Amino acid sequence: MCGLMPVVHIAPFSPASRISVQAGLVTAMGHGTATPAKAGSGKPYLKTTTGQMLGLSVTHLRAAKPPLSLMAVCQRADFAIDAEVWPEAPGDTSFLSGIMAREDKPFVETLKLNFKDAGVVLWAVKEAALKASGEVMIDPRHLAITLGQHGRIKAAPSAEAMAPFPAAEVQLFRLDMQKEKRTALLSLAYVALSSASHDTAPASFEFSGAEGKIAPLTLR
């Protein structure tokens, strides 16, 4: 059902509601129960009673006022999300320089045409890609980001990468949470199966657990 088009259920949660929100998302995916587990890399996932692995990803918008946490469950285990407060103003150029690979320059120029803060968007893309691979401790400058067909974003090792890790497909969304009265930039990544995945339709995305809507962002 997920294949190259991950179907994701996502919801806000608090420390007190984490277990119940996780159970609700698993139910939304059509499963009764699932228990948390970790891959060898430390990447979390959920294991259903039938042995299926569901992707589990958590992200925190600490810059939001008040801070907000989001949890997502997908039928593909090799996926992850990252979310950042929607960039309303130009950001710190030194932060952008500190996370850029040389190969990122054309993509960053595209980001500057589409967003007020290219740095926070580049970070969201790289963070989601690294979380999807399970290799979260890699220097972000060792990850090269390029823009493919149909607005698809590809993350792969840069020329300076110290170790191999799997390439990832990344997609950006605008998340408007009406109940919480806030907007976030949402980045969804999953490990690329093949270069042909650039030609598939955008990922299907479902938002559950609170009032809101998700709109895909197409970079040009």
Side-chain angles (χ1 to χ4, degrees), residues 194-208:
S194 70
S195 59
S197 59
H198 281 300
D199 299 322
T200 61
S204 174
F205 222 91
E206 286 193 46
F207 182 75
S208 63

Side-chain angles (χ1 to χ4, degrees), residues 147-169:
L147 187 62
Q149 297 179 3
H150 311 302
R152 286 301 183 95
I153 301 168
K154 177 142 184 217
S158 70
E160 297 180 2
M162 304 296 291
F165 52 90
E169 300 275 344

Side-chain angles (χ1 to χ4, degrees), residues 63 82 84-100 107-125 172 174 184-186 217 219:
D82 186 63
E84 304 292 337
V85 174
W86 186 264
E88 298 285 0
D92 186 351
T93 56
S94 62
F95 173 72
L96 175 60
S97 300
I99 63 173
M100 273 185 64
F107 181 70
V108 168
E109 293 304 315
T110 298
L111 292 181
K112 289 179 178 179
L113 295 175
N114 287 268
F115 299 96
K116 292 184 178 180
D117 186 351
V120 73
V121 184
L122 182 63
W123 174 258
V125 169
L172 295 174
R174 180 184 175 111
L185 172 74
L186 186 66
L217 300 174
L219 302 179

Side-chain angles (χ1 to χ4, degrees), residues 10-18 21 57-72 81-86 131 174-186 207-214:
I10 184 170
F13 76 98
S14 65
S17 67
R18 182 179 184 121
V21 168
S57 188
V58 168
T59 186
H60 306 283
L61 288 89
R62 294 185 173 88
K65 297 180 180 179
L68 179 70
S69 297
L70 297 173
M71 180 187 297
I81 61 168
D82 186 63
E84 304 292 337
V85 174
W86 186 264
K131 287 167 67 177
R174 180 184 175 111
L175 172 58
D176 290 303
M177 294 165 284
Q178 298 164 358
K179 185 176 180 180
E180 288 80 11
K181 296 182 179 179
R182 63 187 80 191
T183 300
L185 172 74
L186 186 66
F207 182 75
S208 63
E211 295 180 3
K213 63 179 181 178
I214 294 179

Side-chain angles (χ1 to χ4, degrees), residues 9-90:
H9 288 262
I10 184 170
F13 76 98
S14 65
S17 67
R18 182 179 184 121
I19 294 176
S20 61
V21 168
Q22 179 179 293
L25 293 177
V26 170
T27 299
M29 298 304 294
H31 299 277
T33 59
T35 55
K38 287 188 177 181
S41 63
K43 178 177 170 54
Y45 67 93
L46 296 171
K47 189 172 183 179
T48 70
T49 53
T50 60
Q52 183 175 348
M53 293 171 60
L54 301 178
L56 172 67
S57 188
V58 168
T59 186
H60 306 283
L61 288 89
R62 294 185 173 88
K65 297 180 180 179
L68 179 70
S69 297
L70 297 173
M71 180 187 297
V73 172
C74 177
Q75 288 180 333
R76 281 186 59 161
D78 58 351
F79 102 109
I81 61 168
D82 186 63
E84 304 292 337
V85 174
W86 186 264
E88 298 285 0

